[in-house]
PDB file of all heavy atoms in Angstrom:
ATOM      1  N   ARG A 281      44.705 146.894 142.291  1.00  0.00           N
ATOM      2  CA  ARG A 281      45.563 145.704 141.910  1.00  0.00           C
ATOM      3  C   ARG A 281      46.132 144.995 143.127  1.00  0.00           C
ATOM      4  O   ARG A 281      47.256 144.490 142.979  1.00  0.00           O
ATOM      5  CB  ARG A 281      46.615 146.134 140.875  1.00  0.00           C
ATOM      6  CG  ARG A 281      46.074 146.556 139.651  1.00  0.00           C
ATOM      7  CD  ARG A 281      47.052 147.073 138.656  1.00  0.00           C
ATOM      8  NE  ARG A 281      46.536 147.821 137.595  1.00  0.00           N
ATOM      9  CZ  ARG A 281      47.092 148.578 136.831  1.00  0.00           C
ATOM     10  NH1 ARG A 281      48.437 148.806 136.967  1.00  0.00           N
ATOM     11  NH2 ARG A 281      46.582 149.286 135.924  1.00  0.00           N
ATOM     12  N   GLY A 282      45.315 144.833 144.107  1.00  0.00           N
ATOM     13  CA  GLY A 282      45.735 144.072 145.276  1.00  0.00           C
ATOM     14  C   GLY A 282      46.629 144.886 146.218  1.00  0.00           C
ATOM     15  O   GLY A 282      47.099 144.315 147.272  1.00  0.00           O
ATOM     16  N   PHE A 283      47.028 146.185 145.984  1.00  0.00           N
ATOM     17  CA  PHE A 283      47.750 146.908 146.875  1.00  0.00           C
ATOM     18  C   PHE A 283      46.897 148.029 147.494  1.00  0.00           C
ATOM     19  O   PHE A 283      46.227 148.733 146.819  1.00  0.00           O
ATOM     20  CB  PHE A 283      48.898 147.567 146.100  1.00  0.00           C
ATOM     21  CG  PHE A 283      49.990 146.686 145.540  1.00  0.00           C
ATOM     22  CD1 PHE A 283      49.882 146.302 144.214  1.00  0.00           C
ATOM     23  CD2 PHE A 283      51.002 146.105 146.404  1.00  0.00           C
ATOM     24  CE1 PHE A 283      50.820 145.431 143.709  1.00  0.00           C
ATOM     25  CE2 PHE A 283      51.853 145.359 145.853  1.00  0.00           C
ATOM     26  CZ  PHE A 283      51.818 144.891 144.537  1.00  0.00           C
ATOM     27  N   GLU A 284      46.976 148.062 148.908  1.00  0.00           N
ATOM     28  CA  GLU A 284      46.251 148.970 149.583  1.00  0.00           C
ATOM     29  C   GLU A 284      46.881 150.320 149.447  1.00  0.00           C
ATOM     30  O   GLU A 284      48.093 150.480 150.008  1.00  0.00           O
ATOM     31  CB  GLU A 284      46.038 148.548 151.083  1.00  0.00           C
ATOM     32  CG  GLU A 284      45.163 149.418 151.789  1.00  0.00           C
ATOM     33  CD  GLU A 284      44.850 148.853 153.139  1.00  0.00           C
ATOM     34  OE1 GLU A 284      44.303 147.892 153.249  1.00  0.00           O
ATOM     35  OE2 GLU A 284      45.129 149.565 154.204  1.00  0.00           O
ATOM     36  N   LEU A 285      46.247 151.429 148.931  1.00  0.00           N
ATOM     37  CA  LEU A 285      46.868 152.640 148.762  1.00  0.00           C
ATOM     38  C   LEU A 285      46.500 153.585 149.925  1.00  0.00           C
ATOM     39  O   LEU A 285      47.348 154.474 150.265  1.00  0.00           O
ATOM     40  CB  LEU A 285      46.427 153.283 147.510  1.00  0.00           C
ATOM     41  CG  LEU A 285      46.754 152.447 146.114  1.00  0.00           C
ATOM     42  CD1 LEU A 285      46.133 153.191 145.022  1.00  0.00           C
ATOM     43  CD2 LEU A 285      48.153 152.204 146.007  1.00  0.00           C
ATOM     44  N   GLU A 286      45.472 153.455 150.530  1.00  0.00           N
ATOM     45  CA  GLU A 286      44.933 154.276 151.692  1.00  0.00           C
ATOM     46  C   GLU A 286      43.859 153.528 152.460  1.00  0.00           C
ATOM     47  O   GLU A 286      43.048 152.713 151.898  1.00  0.00           O
ATOM     48  CB  GLU A 286      44.309 155.538 151.041  1.00  0.00           C
ATOM     49  CG  GLU A 286      43.830 156.556 151.984  1.00  0.00           C
ATOM     50  CD  GLU A 286      43.262 157.806 151.430  1.00  0.00           C
ATOM     51  OE1 GLU A 286      43.351 158.005 150.167  1.00  0.00           O
ATOM     52  OE2 GLU A 286      42.731 158.568 152.233  1.00  0.00           O
ATOM     53  N   ARG A 287      43.958 153.775 153.774  1.00  0.00           N
ATOM     54  CA  ARG A 287      42.968 153.237 154.669  1.00  0.00           C
ATOM     55  C   ARG A 287      42.757 154.307 155.829  1.00  0.00           C
ATOM     56  O   ARG A 287      43.572 154.696 156.511  1.00  0.00           O
ATOM     57  CB  ARG A 287      43.395 151.934 155.344  1.00  0.00           C
ATOM     58  CG  ARG A 287      42.353 151.461 156.408  1.00  0.00           C
ATOM     59  CD  ARG A 287      42.744 150.061 156.985  1.00  0.00           C
ATOM     60  NE  ARG A 287      42.776 148.967 156.028  1.00  0.00           N
ATOM     61  CZ  ARG A 287      41.875 148.100 155.799  1.00  0.00           C
ATOM     62  NH1 ARG A 287      40.724 148.169 156.501  1.00  0.00           N
ATOM     63  NH2 ARG A 287      41.837 147.174 154.869  1.00  0.00           N
ATOM     64  N   ARG A 288      41.486 154.789 155.884  1.00  0.00           N
ATOM     65  CA  ARG A 288      41.161 155.758 156.945  1.00  0.00           C
ATOM     66  C   ARG A 288      40.177 154.993 157.838  1.00  0.00           C
ATOM     67  O   ARG A 288      39.370 154.191 157.316  1.00  0.00           O
ATOM     68  CB  ARG A 288      40.401 156.981 156.250  1.00  0.00           C
ATOM     69  CG  ARG A 288      41.227 157.753 155.257  1.00  0.00           C
ATOM     70  CD  ARG A 288      40.440 158.962 154.819  1.00  0.00           C
ATOM     71  NE  ARG A 288      40.780 159.174 153.492  1.00  0.00           N
ATOM     72  CZ  ARG A 288      40.078 160.012 152.654  1.00  0.00           C
ATOM     73  NH1 ARG A 288      38.845 160.483 153.072  1.00  0.00           N
ATOM     74  NH2 ARG A 288      40.385 160.274 151.402  1.00  0.00           N
ATOM     75  N   ILE A 289      40.335 155.170 159.131  1.00  0.00           N
ATOM     76  CA  ILE A 289      39.565 154.456 160.041  1.00  0.00           C
ATOM     77  C   ILE A 289      38.907 155.522 161.044  1.00  0.00           C
ATOM     78  O   ILE A 289      39.572 156.625 161.485  1.00  0.00           O
ATOM     79  CB  ILE A 289      40.478 153.520 160.888  1.00  0.00           C
ATOM     80  CG1 ILE A 289      41.161 152.589 159.945  1.00  0.00           C
ATOM     81  CG2 ILE A 289      39.676 152.830 161.952  1.00  0.00           C
ATOM     82  CD1 ILE A 289      42.285 151.850 160.589  1.00  0.00           C
ATOM     83  N   THR A 290      37.633 155.267 161.386  1.00  0.00           N
ATOM     84  CA  THR A 290      36.855 156.209 162.229  1.00  0.00           C
ATOM     85  C   THR A 290      35.832 155.391 162.975  1.00  0.00           C
ATOM     86  O   THR A 290      35.332 154.390 162.451  1.00  0.00           O
ATOM     87  CB  THR A 290      36.304 157.361 161.463  1.00  0.00           C
ATOM     88  OG1 THR A 290      35.726 158.307 162.380  1.00  0.00           O
ATOM     89  CG2 THR A 290      35.347 156.955 160.432  1.00  0.00           C
ATOM     90  N   ASN A 291      35.382 155.978 164.011  1.00  0.00           N
ATOM     91  CA  ASN A 291      34.146 155.406 164.662  1.00  0.00           C
ATOM     92  C   ASN A 291      33.002 156.344 164.568  1.00  0.00           C
ATOM     93  O   ASN A 291      31.859 156.094 165.030  1.00  0.00           O
ATOM     94  CB  ASN A 291      34.440 155.276 166.285  1.00  0.00           C
ATOM     95  CG  ASN A 291      35.306 154.078 166.514  1.00  0.00           C
ATOM     96  OD1 ASN A 291      35.163 152.960 166.065  1.00  0.00           O
ATOM     97  ND2 ASN A 291      36.333 154.352 167.401  1.00  0.00           N
ATOM     98  N   ASP A 292      33.189 157.410 163.820  1.00  0.00           N
ATOM     99  CA  ASP A 292      32.252 158.474 163.562  1.00  0.00           C
ATOM    100  C   ASP A 292      31.529 158.274 162.140  1.00  0.00           C
ATOM    101  O   ASP A 292      32.205 158.479 161.129  1.00  0.00           O
ATOM    102  CB  ASP A 292      32.994 159.848 163.603  1.00  0.00           C
ATOM    103  CG  ASP A 292      32.032 161.031 163.494  1.00  0.00           C
ATOM    104  OD1 ASP A 292      30.848 160.807 163.079  1.00  0.00           O
ATOM    105  OD2 ASP A 292      32.447 162.142 163.727  1.00  0.00           O
ATOM    106  N   LEU A 293      30.262 157.876 162.205  1.00  0.00           N
ATOM    107  CA  LEU A 293      29.515 157.634 161.003  1.00  0.00           C
ATOM    108  C   LEU A 293      29.647 158.857 160.027  1.00  0.00           C
ATOM    109  O   LEU A 293      29.756 158.735 158.915  1.00  0.00           O
ATOM    110  CB  LEU A 293      28.140 157.108 161.254  1.00  0.00           C
ATOM    111  CG  LEU A 293      27.210 157.029 160.007  1.00  0.00           C
ATOM    112  CD1 LEU A 293      27.770 155.829 159.164  1.00  0.00           C
ATOM    113  CD2 LEU A 293      25.814 156.699 160.468  1.00  0.00           C
ATOM    114  N   ASP A 294      29.383 159.996 160.598  1.00  0.00           N
ATOM    115  CA  ASP A 294      29.284 161.227 159.863  1.00  0.00           C
ATOM    116  C   ASP A 294      30.656 161.510 159.153  1.00  0.00           C
ATOM    117  O   ASP A 294      30.656 161.814 158.029  1.00  0.00           O
ATOM    118  CB  ASP A 294      29.007 162.438 160.838  1.00  0.00           C
ATOM    119  CG  ASP A 294      28.731 163.704 160.136  1.00  0.00           C
ATOM    120  OD1 ASP A 294      27.652 163.738 159.431  1.00  0.00           O
ATOM    121  OD2 ASP A 294      29.556 164.692 160.126  1.00  0.00           O
ATOM    122  N   GLU A 295      31.850 161.190 159.789  1.00  0.00           N
ATOM    123  CA  GLU A 295      33.044 161.346 159.186  1.00  0.00           C
ATOM    124  C   GLU A 295      33.170 160.358 157.968  1.00  0.00           C
ATOM    125  O   GLU A 295      33.617 160.701 156.921  1.00  0.00           O
ATOM    126  CB  GLU A 295      34.155 161.168 160.139  1.00  0.00           C
ATOM    127  CG  GLU A 295      35.496 161.418 159.513  1.00  0.00           C
ATOM    128  CD  GLU A 295      36.609 161.413 160.594  1.00  0.00           C
ATOM    129  OE1 GLU A 295      36.543 160.542 161.550  1.00  0.00           O
ATOM    130  OE2 GLU A 295      37.587 162.231 160.509  1.00  0.00           O
TER     131      GLU A 295
END
Side-chain angles (χ1 to χ4, degrees):
R281 298 181 192 159
F283 293 99
E284 189 173 297
L285 303 175
E286 180 177 354
R287 179 177 293 264
R288 298 183 213 162
I289 302 170
T290 185
N291 287 311
D292 183 349
L293 177 64
D294 191 66
E295 185 171 37

